mmCIF file of all heavy atoms in Angstrom:
data_model
loop_
_atom_site.group_PDB
_atom_site.id
_atom_site.type_symbol
_atom_site.label_atom_id
_atom_site.label_comp_id
_atom_site.label_asym_id
_atom_site.label_seq_id
_atom_site.Cartn_x
_atom_site.Cartn_y
_atom_site.Cartn_z
ATOM 1 N N LEU A 401 -14.570 7.043 39.380
ATOM 2 C CA LEU A 401 -14.655 7.264 37.944
ATOM 3 C C LEU A 401 -16.052 6.986 37.504
ATOM 4 O O LEU A 401 -16.499 5.822 37.511
ATOM 5 C CB LEU A 401 -13.637 6.391 37.204
ATOM 6 C CG LEU A 401 -13.308 6.744 35.733
ATOM 7 C CD1 LEU A 401 -12.801 8.146 35.630
ATOM 8 C CD2 LEU A 401 -12.278 5.762 35.178
ATOM 9 N N SER A 402 -16.829 8.028 37.140
ATOM 10 C CA SER A 402 -18.223 7.916 36.793
ATOM 11 C C SER A 402 -19.009 7.167 37.868
ATOM 12 O O SER A 402 -19.779 6.240 37.573
ATOM 13 C CB SER A 402 -18.390 7.212 35.446
ATOM 14 O OG SER A 402 -19.726 7.247 35.000
ATOM 15 N N GLY A 403 -18.815 7.578 39.120
ATOM 16 C CA GLY A 403 -19.599 7.061 40.229
ATOM 17 C C GLY A 403 -19.203 5.719 40.760
ATOM 18 O O GLY A 403 -19.830 5.205 41.687
ATOM 19 N N LYS A 404 -18.147 5.116 40.228
ATOM 20 C CA LYS A 404 -17.714 3.813 40.739
ATOM 21 C C LYS A 404 -16.252 3.869 41.146
ATOM 22 O O LYS A 404 -15.480 4.699 40.666
ATOM 23 C CB LYS A 404 -17.930 2.748 39.652
ATOM 24 C CG LYS A 404 -19.375 2.486 39.356
ATOM 25 C CD LYS A 404 -19.539 1.304 38.420
ATOM 26 C CE LYS A 404 -21.026 0.995 38.128
ATOM 27 N NZ LYS A 404 -21.183 -0.139 37.229
ATOM 28 N N THR A 405 -15.870 2.960 42.026
ATOM 29 C CA THR A 405 -14.533 2.920 42.569
ATOM 30 C C THR A 405 -13.520 2.620 41.486
ATOM 31 O O THR A 405 -13.683 1.678 40.687
ATOM 32 C CB THR A 405 -14.391 1.886 43.674
ATOM 33 O OG1 THR A 405 -15.352 2.193 44.700
ATOM 34 C CG2 THR A 405 -13.010 1.933 44.283
ATOM 35 N N ALA A 406 -12.467 3.391 41.434
ATOM 36 C CA ALA A 406 -11.364 3.230 40.487
ATOM 37 C C ALA A 406 -10.037 3.315 41.228
ATOM 38 O O ALA A 406 -10.022 3.505 42.446
ATOM 39 C CB ALA A 406 -11.421 4.255 39.366
ATOM 40 N N LEU A 407 -8.962 3.171 40.521
ATOM 41 C CA LEU A 407 -7.634 3.227 41.144
ATOM 42 C C LEU A 407 -6.779 4.164 40.331
ATOM 43 O O LEU A 407 -6.832 4.172 39.087
ATOM 44 C CB LEU A 407 -7.019 1.829 41.163
ATOM 45 C CG LEU A 407 -5.923 1.576 42.184
ATOM 46 C CD1 LEU A 407 -6.424 1.771 43.612
ATOM 47 C CD2 LEU A 407 -5.388 0.128 42.006
ATOM 48 N N GLY A 408 -5.943 4.975 41.009
ATOM 49 C CA GLY A 408 -5.095 5.932 40.334
ATOM 50 C C GLY A 408 -3.660 5.792 40.733
ATOM 51 O O GLY A 408 -3.342 5.285 41.857
ATOM 52 N N THR A 409 -2.733 6.215 39.853
ATOM 53 C CA THR A 409 -1.307 6.158 40.147
ATOM 54 C C THR A 409 -0.556 7.211 39.352
ATOM 55 O O THR A 409 -0.998 7.639 38.298
ATOM 56 C CB THR A 409 -0.732 4.766 39.850
ATOM 57 O OG1 THR A 409 0.577 4.650 40.344
ATOM 58 C CG2 THR A 409 -0.668 4.507 38.324
ATOM 59 N N PHE A 410 0.613 7.625 39.900
ATOM 60 C CA PHE A 410 1.460 8.593 39.186
ATOM 61 C C PHE A 410 2.596 7.890 38.452
ATOM 62 O O PHE A 410 3.164 6.915 38.925
ATOM 63 C CB PHE A 410 2.109 9.566 40.234
ATOM 64 C CG PHE A 410 1.193 10.670 40.637
ATOM 65 C CD1 PHE A 410 0.551 10.665 41.879
ATOM 66 C CD2 PHE A 410 0.921 11.750 39.803
ATOM 67 C CE1 PHE A 410 -0.262 11.678 42.266
ATOM 68 C CE2 PHE A 410 0.088 12.772 40.187
ATOM 69 C CZ PHE A 410 -0.508 12.766 41.432
ATOM 70 N N LEU A 411 2.887 8.422 37.267
ATOM 71 C CA LEU A 411 4.032 7.987 36.499
ATOM 72 C C LEU A 411 4.908 9.215 36.283
ATOM 73 O O LEU A 411 4.406 10.319 36.109
ATOM 74 C CB LEU A 411 3.617 7.424 35.141
ATOM 75 C CG LEU A 411 2.625 6.266 35.126
ATOM 76 C CD1 LEU A 411 2.272 5.909 33.664
ATOM 77 C CD2 LEU A 411 3.149 5.073 35.840
ATOM 78 N N ARG A 412 6.227 9.024 36.328
ATOM 79 C CA ARG A 412 7.150 10.139 36.098
ATOM 80 C C ARG A 412 8.283 9.667 35.216
ATOM 81 O O ARG A 412 8.608 8.492 35.111
ATOM 82 C CB ARG A 412 7.713 10.626 37.437
ATOM 83 C CG ARG A 412 6.754 11.362 38.327
ATOM 84 C CD ARG A 412 7.451 11.839 39.602
ATOM 85 N NE ARG A 412 6.585 12.710 40.434
ATOM 86 C CZ ARG A 412 5.729 12.262 41.341
ATOM 87 N NH1 ARG A 412 5.607 10.942 41.526
ATOM 88 N NH2 ARG A 412 4.994 13.097 42.030
ATOM 89 N N GLY A 413 8.906 10.674 34.559
ATOM 90 C CA GLY A 413 10.067 10.342 33.725
ATOM 91 C C GLY A 413 10.505 11.547 32.913
ATOM 92 O O GLY A 413 9.783 12.545 32.831
ATOM 93 N N THR A 414 11.704 11.437 32.339
ATOM 94 C CA THR A 414 12.228 12.524 31.481
ATOM 95 C C THR A 414 11.913 12.120 30.036
ATOM 96 O O THR A 414 12.409 11.092 29.567
ATOM 97 C CB THR A 414 13.737 12.684 31.679
ATOM 98 O OG1 THR A 414 13.979 12.994 33.043
ATOM 99 C CG2 THR A 414 14.269 13.767 30.803
ATOM 100 N N ASN A 415 11.060 12.941 29.388
ATOM 101 C CA ASN A 415 10.661 12.599 28.042
ATOM 102 C C ASN A 415 11.761 12.823 27.005
ATOM 103 O O ASN A 415 12.871 13.274 27.334
ATOM 104 C CB ASN A 415 9.358 13.332 27.649
ATOM 105 C CG ASN A 415 9.547 14.830 27.590
ATOM 106 O OD1 ASN A 415 10.605 15.358 27.395
ATOM 107 N ND2 ASN A 415 8.433 15.556 27.808
ATOM 108 N N HIS A 416 11.412 12.556 25.733
ATOM 109 C CA HIS A 416 12.417 12.600 24.677
ATOM 110 C C HIS A 416 12.922 14.035 24.406
ATOM 111 O O HIS A 416 13.999 14.212 23.838
ATOM 112 C CB HIS A 416 11.867 12.014 23.391
ATOM 113 C CG HIS A 416 11.361 10.598 23.548
ATOM 114 N ND1 HIS A 416 12.189 9.573 23.990
ATOM 115 C CD2 HIS A 416 10.169 10.012 23.343
ATOM 116 C CE1 HIS A 416 11.524 8.441 24.070
ATOM 117 N NE2 HIS A 416 10.256 8.697 23.683
ATOM 118 N N ALA A 417 12.152 15.021 24.841
ATOM 119 C CA ALA A 417 12.595 16.414 24.684
ATOM 120 C C ALA A 417 13.478 16.864 25.862
ATOM 121 O O ALA A 417 13.919 18.004 25.874
ATOM 122 C CB ALA A 417 11.367 17.329 24.541
ATOM 123 N N GLY A 418 13.678 15.994 26.825
ATOM 124 C CA GLY A 418 14.490 16.338 27.988
ATOM 125 C C GLY A 418 13.758 16.986 29.107
ATOM 126 O O GLY A 418 14.349 17.439 30.072
ATOM 127 N N ASP A 419 12.403 17.010 29.055
ATOM 128 C CA ASP A 419 11.562 17.608 30.097
ATOM 129 C C ASP A 419 11.145 16.553 31.097
ATOM 130 O O ASP A 419 10.814 15.436 30.717
ATOM 131 C CB ASP A 419 10.354 18.307 29.533
ATOM 132 C CG ASP A 419 10.726 19.524 28.690
ATOM 133 O OD1 ASP A 419 11.719 20.169 28.992
ATOM 134 O OD2 ASP A 419 9.959 19.777 27.685
ATOM 135 N N SER A 420 11.124 16.929 32.374
ATOM 136 C CA SER A 420 10.594 16.034 33.399
ATOM 137 C C SER A 420 9.084 16.074 33.329
ATOM 138 O O SER A 420 8.458 17.105 33.428
ATOM 139 C CB SER A 420 11.078 16.490 34.789
ATOM 140 O OG SER A 420 10.537 15.661 35.778
ATOM 141 N N GLU A 421 8.492 14.893 33.101
ATOM 142 C CA GLU A 421 7.026 14.796 32.843
ATOM 143 C C GLU A 421 6.335 14.049 33.985
ATOM 144 O O GLU A 421 6.886 13.111 34.563
ATOM 145 C CB GLU A 421 6.834 14.040 31.541
ATOM 146 C CG GLU A 421 5.431 14.073 30.975
ATOM 147 C CD GLU A 421 5.378 13.477 29.576
ATOM 148 O OE1 GLU A 421 5.299 12.248 29.417
ATOM 149 O OE2 GLU A 421 5.460 14.277 28.613
ATOM 150 N N ARG A 422 5.152 14.510 34.297
ATOM 151 C CA ARG A 422 4.332 13.838 35.334
ATOM 152 C C ARG A 422 2.999 13.416 34.726
ATOM 153 O O ARG A 422 2.342 14.230 34.062
ATOM 154 C CB ARG A 422 4.123 14.806 36.533
ATOM 155 C CG ARG A 422 3.533 14.122 37.763
ATOM 156 C CD ARG A 422 3.463 15.127 38.911
ATOM 157 N NE ARG A 422 3.093 14.472 40.136
ATOM 158 C CZ ARG A 422 2.864 15.149 41.292
ATOM 159 N NH1 ARG A 422 2.937 16.451 41.321
ATOM 160 N NH2 ARG A 422 2.536 14.495 42.407
#
Side-chain angles (χ1 to χ4, degrees):
L401 195 58
S402 187
K404 293 188 178 181
T405 303
L407 202 61
T409 190
F410 279 103
L411 306 176
R412 289 182 173 86
T414 301
N415 64 25
H416 303 303
D419 293 328
S420 179
E421 191 170 84
R422 191 176 189 186

